[in-house]
Structures are given as C-alpha cells and as structure tokens.
Amino acid sequence: DTAVSQTPKYLVTQMGNDKSIKCEQNLGHDTMYWYKQDSKKFLKIMFSYNNKELIINETVPNRFSPKSPDKAHLNLHINSLELGDSAVYFCASSQDFGAGRNEQYFGPGTRLTVT
Amino acid sequence: GNSVTQMEGPVTLSEEAFLTINCTYTATGYPSLFWYVQYPGEGLQLLLKATKADDKGSNKGFEATYRKETTSFHLEKGSVQVSDSAVYFCALGQKLVFGQGTRLTINP
C-alpha cells in the first residue's frame, strides 16, 4: 500500500495555464506539506496543513493555492503557470506537527514542466 | 532563522570505502536533526534522526551524532555499497529546513 501518493507523476503544460496536483496519505496523519525541489535539488517548504488548517505559508506567489478537503488530502492548485514554476513538487505527511511528532513521509513527487 | 549547510558534492567512492558527509547547522534552541535519502526518481525517505544533543541516530549501517558543541550532524558509514548511491539531505526542525543535498555515487 502506498503511504503518500501524488497524481499526476508528470505534468507538462504551457505558460498561462492552470493546473492541480493531488496528494493523498493513508497513514492517518494529521499534518501534510508541500515542498518544491528545483533543478539543483534544493528543497523548500511551501505550505503545511494540520487537521485541515493552514499552519505554514512560506513566501510563495499567491498563484499557488493549497486546499485540504480532509485530513488525508492536500491538493495544490497553480494559476497562470510560469516557466519558473517548473520543478518537482513533493507532498509529505507527519503524525502531528503541533506535538513535535514531525517525522515526515514523502510522496514520489510530481515533475511539472512549463513550456 | 534556521539553516543547514552540507558538504559540496558530488562525492564518488569505491565500494567498501568509508563515507562521511558533513552537515552543520545554525538554529534557535535545539531542534531535531534528520538525514533523508533520495534514490533516483523517487521521493525522500527518512534515513535517521536525533532529537537531542549527543543522541546518535542509526539505520542501514549509517550513523550520525547530534553535536551541540560543533553544531554538526555528520553522516557516516563504514563500508558503502553500490546501492547507497543517492542524494543525501541533512535537515532540521519542525518545518524541515533542508541542506542543499549531496549526491553520492559508489563505483563497484
């Protein structure tokens, strides 16, 4: 059973389009995250939700909007895609951020290419 | 703010060589420290962790000790295998601030 899954695995789209990436975890965790990994492998946190509430919102363009319909899902919607958005996006989850139980489990990643 | 600095890669070793990947950090307080590994085409996996000073994390033959005096968490393995080839990330804290990653290649 896949613990943290993401769809799609690959996403190729043109500048200006709007796209979504979906993430689901079946670990029963309370906290979920989105990370961006650039072409040099540098990883940076973008957002985190704990029990469907936004708890981390780093300096990310407001074209990026996370949505958490329930504890097991955290989706990422991106409006008006730009070339610089090309990256690998990773979803992760942890048991409970607030209680310090933040050992994170990562999904396989979504490689977004904007042309 | 918190930050993590890893040794520059790439690192290339022969099988059975001794491995050290350096990691130093700056942080407020004493956050948990982690090493994650990313195999080609995959997501990150937690390799080991340490939650307080002098703790030693270990897994799959890898070890790292939380050194408060030197603000370091160096990753070591006594005898590497070809299957250890991957990118290794040092990270700290609840928000997981990552180092830049070190690509390791082990040749047979």
Side-chain angles (χ1 to χ4, degrees):
Chain A
D1 275 350
T2 303
V4 182
S5 59
Q6 296 178 227
T7 54
K9 189 168 174 63
Y10 300 96
L11 184 53
V12 180
T13 188
Q14 292 184 327
M15 283 173 53
N17 285 348
D18 303 338
K19 290 293 179 186
S20 291
I21 306 171
K22 296 187 176 182
C23 178
E24 176 180 2
Q25 54 95 3
N26 63 6
L27 298 167
H29 288 168
D30 286 347
T31 310
M32 296 184 73
Y33 310 79
W34 277 111
Y35 289 86
K36 179 180 180 180
Q37 186 176 47
D38 64 21
S39 58
K40 295 183 179 178
K41 295 288 191 182
F42 185 67
L43 269 160
K44 190 165 173 19
I45 192 167
M46 300 172 69
F47 303 103
S48 177
Y49 272 72
N50 189 59
N51 276 319
K52 300 194 297 176
E53 287 193 28
L54 183 66
I55 57 170
I56 295 173
N57 186 355
E58 295 293 292
T59 308
V60 176
N62 57 16
R63 298 181 295 102
F64 289 79
S65 53
K67 285 186 173 52
S68 182
D70 55 58
K71 282 196 323 182
H73 296 84
L74 180 61
N75 303 323
L76 183 65
H77 189 76
I78 316 170
N79 289 327
S80 303
L81 278 154
E82 300 178 356
L83 291 177
D85 298 332
S86 296
V88 181
Y89 293 84
F90 286 101
C91 178
S93 73
S94 67
Q95 190 172 357
D96 185 348
F97 181 93
R101 295 193 289 269
N102 66 319
E103 178 178 320
Q104 295 187 25
Y105 294 78
F106 282 76
T110 296
R111 181 175 295 277
L112 171 65
T113 303
V114 183
T115 62
Chain B
N2 295 347
S3 68
V4 175
T5 302
Q6 288 180 235
M7 66 185 289
E8 291 276 339
V11 174
T12 303
L13 296 171
S14 297
E15 208 165 19
E16 299 184 4
F18 184 86
L19 168 71
T20 300
I21 300 178
N22 290 339
C23 171
T24 57
Y25 65 90
T26 57
T28 305
Y30 302 106
S32 295
L33 298 172
F34 306 86
W35 276 100
Y36 279 82
V37 58
Q38 185 177 26
Y39 297 103
E42 297 184 12
L44 279 75
Q45 300 173 27
L46 178 66
L47 181 59
L48 53 84
K49 67 179 181 181
T51 57
K52 60 183 187 298
D54 299 326
D55 262 5
K56 178 187 280 189
S58 61
N59 185 26
K60 298 182 181 180
F62 291 89
E63 292 182 342
T65 301
Y66 192 137
R67 301 278 187 210
K68 187 177 63 173
E69 319 77 42
T70 53
T71 62
S72 65
F73 193 55
H74 305 321
L75 182 69
E76 295 182 337
K77 185 173 185 181
S79 177
V80 292
Q81 307 300 314
V82 172
S83 57
D84 293 327
S85 299
V87 181
Y88 292 80
F89 293 91
C90 185
L92 67 80
Q94 285 188 281
K95 286 199 322 185
L96 272 194
V97 175
F98 283 92
Q100 69 269 38
T102 301
R103 183 179 297 277
L104 173 66
T105 301
I106 308 299
N107 294 320

